[in-house]
């Protein structure tokens, strides 16, 4: 009504005002927020939802806020599924661009002994801390930074679900801190970019181990020889 009242009358043909009855819009939003079943092994849910009684796999609680990584995107599903294929027991893992911390949390639940989760956005950093506590994780160190932690030692596995340009910027640092025979899981780009990503990381001494795609989104797994 306020907006329309400032429009010259000759420009207005017809407009209506509808008054909605009061309701708890947050409760309505929560009721429409879907659980994410990545596979028979992994379910991602918000803390205001209950996991199905017949689900026997891992359950991760993610408080949905402004950070990326609620499990609904194909790239998260691609990396999460592949992490189950790996042996993470006792491994040291870097989650770069961690967002909600979902992949770091999964790494701990899969047996990683030490995980460093890094994000440059303050709200993501605070959200990942909240989710780490929510999932009762003990082995995750959360950092607020925009740089690859090159001074923090070497990693057995690096996961990075970021955009293509940032993955290119980080390629040298990633290759530097990855242990020999270590793996990097990269996603956040389209399947049409796979060749470019592999070529960029090949120049850093990393070779493609496998690639996966889903609905146009891709993930590359590279190994340091």
């Amino acid at each position: 009504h306020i907006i329309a009242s400032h429009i010259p009358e000759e420009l207005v043909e017809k407009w209506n005002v509808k008054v909605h009855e009061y309701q708890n819009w947050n409760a309505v939003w929560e009721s429409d927020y879907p659980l994410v079943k990545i596979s028979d092994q992994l379910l991602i849910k918000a803390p205001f939802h209950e996991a199905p009684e017949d689900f026997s796999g891992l359950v991760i609680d993610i408080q949905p806020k402004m950070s990326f990584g609620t499990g609904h995107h194909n790239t998260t599903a691609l990396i999460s599924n592949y992490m189950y294929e790996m042996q993470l027991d006792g491994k040291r893992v870097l989650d770069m661009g961690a967002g909600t911390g979902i992949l770091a949390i999964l790494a701990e639940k899969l047996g990683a002994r030490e995980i460093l989760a890094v994000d440059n956005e303050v709200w993501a950093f605070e959200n990942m801390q909240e989710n780490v506590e929510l999932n009762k994780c003990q082995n995750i160190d959360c950092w607020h930074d925009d740089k690859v932690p090159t001074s923090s030692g070497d990693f057995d596995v690096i996961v990075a679900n970021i955009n293509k340009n940032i993955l290119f910027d980080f390629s040298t640092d990633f290759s530097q801190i990855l242990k020999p025979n270590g793996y990097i899981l990269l996603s956040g780009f389209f399947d049409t970019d796979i060749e470019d990503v592999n070529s960029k990381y090949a120049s850093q001494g990393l070779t493609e181990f496998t690639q996966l795609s889903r609905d146009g989104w891709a993930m590359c797994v590279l190994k340091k020889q």
Side-chain angles (χ1 to χ4, degrees), residues 112-123:
R113 66 174 172 84
E114 184 181 349
I115 305 103
L116 180 56
V118 183
D119 203 286
N120 68 329
E121 301 289 359
V122 65
W123 62 79

Side-chain angles (χ1 to χ4, degrees), residues 24-40:
N24 186 337
W25 291 107
N26 191 60
V28 172
W29 174 79
E30 289 182 357
S31 68
D32 289 336
Y33 188 87
L35 301 171
V36 182
K37 188 177 181 182
I38 299 293
S39 67
D40 291 337

